[in-house]
């Protein structure tokens, strides 16, 4: 019979897997408690870093419908559950791992699709959602101003052409 504390732990992690749009599995052997706290802060508000037993985490992931992570739950494992921007969390993990080689990114899942450690590192190289949206807005704004200039230029060009035609007609009319 399962102990109530283990059942509660599995249920809590199952809900985290279901409510997260990404989860990253890491190995953390050799990190101190202070370093783990620093890592949690570096992930931002939209991610939670959870150390748990592999068997319980594997059960929770499977119950949440995620079976692609099973091979990653070996040795010391912890999961970063991401509910916000996955790029921000991936950057936090990558940057922390650069300063603390004891943290190893094993792999993860993003919107139900498995990701290797290399893919997570590539995700970390992307710009944040906000930066990409602002660049897109800037591109649209630039195109709008170009379009506005074009529409303003057409009537003025038409007026200049009509004036030139009138002047030409006046010259031809006066020459006859």
């Amino acid at each position: 019979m399962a102990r109530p504390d283990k059942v509660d732990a599995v249920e809590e992690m199952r809900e985290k897997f279901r409510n997260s749009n990404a989860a990253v599995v890491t190995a953390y052997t050799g990190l101190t408690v202070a370093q783990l706290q620093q890592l949690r802060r570096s992930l931002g508000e939209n991610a939670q870093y959870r150390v748990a037993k592999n068997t319980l985490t594997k059960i929770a992931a499977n119950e949440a419908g995620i079976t692609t992570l099973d091979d990653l739950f070996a040795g010391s494992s912890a999961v970063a559950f991401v509910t916000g921007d996955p790029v921000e969390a991936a950057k936090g993990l990558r940057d922390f791992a650069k300063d603390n080689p004891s943290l190893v990114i094993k792999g993860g899942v993003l919107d139900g699709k498995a990701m290797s450690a290399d893919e997570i590192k590539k995700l970390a190289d992307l710009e944040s959602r906000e930066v990409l949206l602002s660049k897109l807005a800037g591109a649209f704004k630039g195109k709008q101003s170009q379009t506005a200039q074009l529409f303003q230029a057409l009537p003025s060009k038409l007026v200049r052409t009509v004036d030139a035609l009138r002047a030409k007609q006046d010259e031809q009319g006066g020459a006859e």
Side-chain angles (χ1 to χ4, degrees):
M1 182 165 202
R3 292 191 354 219
D5 58 333
K6 289 184 179 183
V7 171
D8 291 343
V10 168
E11 185 176 327
E12 179 187 343
M13 279 190 293
R14 181 183 66 231
E15 288 307 309
K16 286 187 185 297
F17 275 114
R18 284 187 179 156
N19 296 330
S20 300
N21 55 358
V24 180
V25 181
T26 64
Y28 65 94
T29 304
L31 292 177
T32 65
V33 172
Q35 288 172 320
L36 286 173
Q37 288 175 338
Q38 181 184 359
L39 171 59
R40 286 183 174 102
R41 282 191 298 271
S42 71
L43 290 177
E45 296 178 9
N46 298 324
Q48 290 183 331
Y49 191 71
R50 172 85 190 258
V51 175
K53 291 185 178 261
N54 287 330
T55 53
L56 299 180
T57 309
K58 190 180 209 179
I59 291 168
N62 288 334
E63 287 180 5
I66 301 170
T67 58
T68 56
L69 300 177
D70 288 355
D71 296 339
L72 303 179
F73 297 122
S76 66
S77 298
V79 182
F81 295 101
V82 184
T83 55
D85 185 9
V87 174
E88 181 184 339
K91 283 181 191 221
L93 287 168
R94 179 201 59 196
D95 294 345
F96 188 86
K98 282 182 186 175
D99 297 335
N100 301 283
S102 298
L103 181 74
V104 177
I105 298 172
K106 295 180 177 182
V109 63
L110 174 64
D111 293 328
K113 296 179 183 166
M115 294 184 73
S116 68
D118 289 335
E119 290 172 323
I120 292 171
K121 289 174 185 170
K122 286 179 185 175
L123 180 67
D125 292 336
L126 293 175
E127 293 175 331
S128 71
R129 181 177 185 269
E130 288 77 20
V131 170
L132 291 174
L133 287 174
S134 65
K135 283 185 175 184
L136 181 64
F140 282 141
K141 184 178 178 184
K143 293 297 179 189
Q144 286 177 336
S145 67
Q146 287 176 344
T147 303
Q149 289 172 355
L150 175 67
F151 286 136
Q152 287 174 350
L154 287 176
S156 64
K157 189 172 185 177
L158 177 65
V159 168
R160 286 193 303 270
T161 304
V162 169
D163 285 343
L165 285 173
R166 278 190 193 141
K168 189 173 184 180
Q169 279 182 341
D170 289 344
E171 287 176 14
Q172 288 177 352
E176 289 178 28

